[in-house]
Amino acid sequence: MSDSVSQNPSEGSASGAPVDWSKRQLIVGTGALAAAGIVALFAGSGVENAVRSIVGPTVQSGNFSVYQGDYFFIPNYMTWRAGDLMTMTLHNSSPTHYHEMMIGKGFDYQPSQLQDLKVQFHTDFWDGVHINVLQANGVDNYVENKAIINTNSLPAPWLIKGVGQGNTSPTLMPGGTLVLQFTVPNKPGIWHYGCFVQGYIHYLAGMRGTINILPA
Ligand SMILES: [Cu+2]
């Protein structure tokens, strides 16, 4: 594809406009192709809608899925509305890596020799939020912090209670799945989510996203 662009006879010409046009088409076309490929890869599963939601302004509500991978979240952008009842299926699609999902604002740092490490968000989105765990398979741990996590009748040896253990965050084993139900708290604005494991290398590598929370 890039060869055909560089061989464009109008490349380097004084007019410039045709070259700009073709490059723009290439970028748009490549992006659409990549999205289509990902959609095809996960065809028939919830990730298809998740991928489509990356490029759309859709407000998630009801049932939706978030996929973890090496090293990304799909979707990596979401819009939630305060007061909506959500049933979020979090699935770790990695065959090899543990992944977590924190949601918050700002960062807490830990000094290290090269540079300070970001270890978690400074403001935890889940503080004071009630979360019902409907299903849990392959959960390594789930730090409750200041959330109120109800595991119903599920055996939950993985639940880590008490504050001071870090942000509210589930860590899923490879292939793990967690289904959470919660009402979006009245905390409108831009929030971020991320995976900070392995000295936040996952976060740096792209395992992060943004949630725009609309007022009720
Ligand atoms: Cu991760």
Side-chain angles (χ1 to χ4, degrees), residues 25-210:
Q25 290 305 107
L26 176 67
I27 291 164
V28 170
T30 304
L33 196 63
I38 294 169
V39 168
L41 185 64
F42 292 96
S45 72
V47 80
E48 188 171 345
N49 287 332
V51 169
R52 294 189 196 290
S53 74
I54 293 173
V55 291
T58 313
V59 177
Q60 275 92 350
S61 65
N63 293 289
F64 68 102
S65 295
V66 174
Y67 291 78
Q68 298 166 309
D70 308 331
Y71 298 91
F72 54 83
F73 286 100
I74 295 176
N76 62 5
Y77 185 88
M78 294 188 273
T79 303
W80 298 356
R81 191 186 308 278
D84 279 0
L85 181 63
M86 315 291 267
T87 303
M88 179 174 84
T89 299
L90 180 64
H91 179 67
N92 181 4
S93 66
S94 170
T96 48
H97 288 80
Y98 288 59
H99 291 299
E100 64 181 10
M101 183 184 185
M102 296 179 179
I103 307 178
K105 287 182 183 177
F107 297 107
D108 286 338
Y109 295 90
Q110 176 182 301
S112 84
Q113 288 186 323
L114 292 177
Q115 61 173 17
D116 290 352
L117 302 177
K118 292 170 180 163
V119 292
Q120 62 176 17
F121 291 112
H122 183 68
T123 303
D124 189 339
F125 172 78
W126 295 110
D127 281 5
V129 178
H130 290 260
I131 302 170
N132 284 320
V133 181
L134 303 183
Q135 289 178 44
N137 298 295
V139 176
D140 180 69
N141 68 78
Y142 196 167
V143 174
E144 183 176 44
N145 196 27
K146 296 176 186 171
I148 303 99
I149 297 179
N150 178 6
T151 56
N152 298 306
S153 58
L154 293 172
W158 34 261
L159 185 62
I160 299 175
K161 300 186 75 71
V163 298
Q165 310 287 334
N167 289 162
T168 299
S169 172
T171 299
L172 301 189
M173 301 175 194
T177 298
L178 188 62
V179 181
L180 306 176
Q181 192 173 63
F182 56 94
T183 297
V184 179
N186 187 26
K187 301 180 180 183
I190 297 295
W191 293 81
H192 302 283
Y193 49 108
C195 174
F196 292 81
V197 310
Q198 294 187 304
Y200 97 103
I201 285 174
H202 292 199
Y203 185 94
L204 282 176
M207 202 166 174
R208 54 186 187 263
T210 301

